[in-house]
Amino acid sequence: MTTTPKIMVVGAHADDVEILAGGTLCKYRAQGHEIVYVMSTDNMSGGVHTLQPDGTVTTTHEPPELMSARRKRECAAAAARLGTTPIHLDHPQRHYRDAAGVQHELRYGCARPPTVPPEVPTILTAYEDEASVSRLTDLILEHDPVCVITHDLAVTSIEHLATVLLVINSFWRAVDQGFEGAMLQGREDDLVFGDLNARWDTFVDITDTLDQKMQLIGCHACQMPTAHYPHHGHRQRPLKWGAACGCSAAEVFTWVRRGDRGDSPLLAELVRNSRP
Ligand SMILES: [Zn+2]
């Protein structure tokens, strides 16, 4: 058992760690927890969103190697605020854009961007790739966090879902090898699934760290150029959950496994806030 408790969060894309659990991480970092910040994809896709002086947001595109580098720089800035550096599993995203902005899907036999190595599966199939599961299992065992947090199952992003499958497979393999930590999934609030996403097992009161969560999200400037807006959706969501949980702001979770570790104030709060 480590002397300094660690929290591991695995997100698919730059900004997901903060969206899932940014308030929780700020709160418990201040109480002595170390953060293990893991990115499952290489972040080579997506656009660069820029807030213009007239208040509109424009979107441009850049080649995958530049996009990936930009998003990793933003990740590093956010992780630095949490006292850590990101671990990039670097599974290629399922598509990328070329210099002309045309989107290409990664398929067998397709041209690979120079940053995509030939032997690494995209995030979509990483969960069934032995080397990929084994690598994340080893990371969990190496860091021995009190809990692992990742995405929800009821999500509209296939790369989020694929990340859950990779983490679940690795987590249970680590348990088979003696890992005693807990696992939780953060609710993402995709309302297309109806009531499923309105349910949660437990929560962390992030009333005092909601501003810090939004500052972390704002580090991902090319994705979240309006994170400073008072009515930003990612600020509103914890406020909505808070109203349901009986505090001002909350991040809500479902348990995958409660674990056997009682040595963390984070776990103590999660257990205390659990529904019967
Ligand atoms: Zn994402």
Side-chain angles (χ1 to χ4, degrees):
M1 190 176 296
T2 54
T3 50
T4 303
K6 295 184 179 182
I7 311 166
M8 176 183 280
V9 185
V10 187
H13 312 118
D15 72 16
D16 283 331
V17 164
E18 295 81 2
I19 291 169
L20 285 168
T24 298
L25 296 181
C26 290
K27 178 175 182 173
Y28 283 97
R29 157 121 168 103
Q31 295 184 36
H33 288 58
E34 280 181 27
I35 312 303
V36 186
Y37 184 116
V38 184
M39 284 277 94
S40 69
T41 76
D42 62 355
N43 284 290
M44 69 174 172
S45 194
V48 179
H49 308 299
T50 307
L51 179 61
Q52 301 298 334
D54 66 358
T56 59
V57 174
T58 57
T59 302
T60 55
H61 296 283
E62 55 191 9
E65 58 272 28
L66 295 183
M67 192 70 214
S68 183
R70 177 193 292 275
R71 297 189 71 180
K72 286 180 178 178
R73 283 196 303 274
E74 294 179 350
C75 257
R81 284 177 175 249
L82 294 167
T84 191
T85 52
I87 297 168
H88 293 282
L89 300 181
D90 269 330
H91 290 289
Q93 291 194 257
R94 68 197 186 283
H95 48 50
Y96 67 95
R97 287 179 189 271
D98 63 23
V102 178
Q103 184 166 289
H104 300 274
E105 188 167 331
L106 262 65
R107 292 179 181 277
Y108 292 109
C110 73
R112 279 181 294 105
T115 48
V116 173
E119 304 300 331
V120 180
T122 73
I123 187 58
L124 298 190
T125 55
Y127 75 97
E128 56 188 5
D129 174 63
E130 171 57 32
S132 303
V133 173
S134 179
R135 180 170 56 146
L136 184 52
T137 301
D138 290 346
L139 268 179
I140 293 171
L141 291 169
E142 174 193 336
H143 288 282
D144 194 25
V146 294
C147 72
V148 179
I149 298 172
T150 193
H151 293 279
D152 199 355
L153 275 175
V155 288
T156 51
S157 162
I158 191 70
E159 294 186 355
H160 288 200
L161 179 59
T163 297
V164 175
L165 294 173
L166 173 63
V167 178
I168 287 281
N169 282 354
S170 304
F171 172 81
W172 286 113
R173 188 180 292 190
V175 169
D176 286 344
Q177 296 179 34
F179 177 59
E180 295 182 325
M183 182 169 171
L184 299 109
Q185 292 177 274
R187 276 296 189 215
E188 296 190 33
D189 205 24
D190 284 334
L191 297 177
V192 293
F193 295 102
D195 287 348
L196 181 63
N197 255 318
R199 295 176 194 154
W200 73 94
D201 295 331
T202 186
F203 67 92
V204 171
D205 180 345
I206 63 158
T207 302
D208 295 334
T209 53
L210 178 57
D211 288 342
Q212 287 173 264
K213 173 187 175 85
M214 294 311 299
Q215 287 162 12
L216 286 177
I217 289 175
C219 289
H220 301 279
C222 76
Q223 302 301 299
M224 298 285 175
T226 61
H228 57 289
Y229 282 10
H231 298 294
H232 194 278
H234 286 301
R235 178 179 287 276
Q236 293 300 308
R237 188 181 293 174
L239 294 172
K240 184 185 80 173
W241 291 125
C245 294
C247 58
S248 290
E251 286 168 343
V252 299
F253 304 94
T254 51
W255 288 107
V256 175
R257 180 184 193 243
R258 294 198 180 205
D260 303 320
R261 303 265 296 266
D263 57 344
S264 155
L266 167 60
L267 284 186
E269 176 172 5
L270 288 165
V271 169
R272 188 169 66 245
N273 291 344
S274 287
R275 292 172 159 179

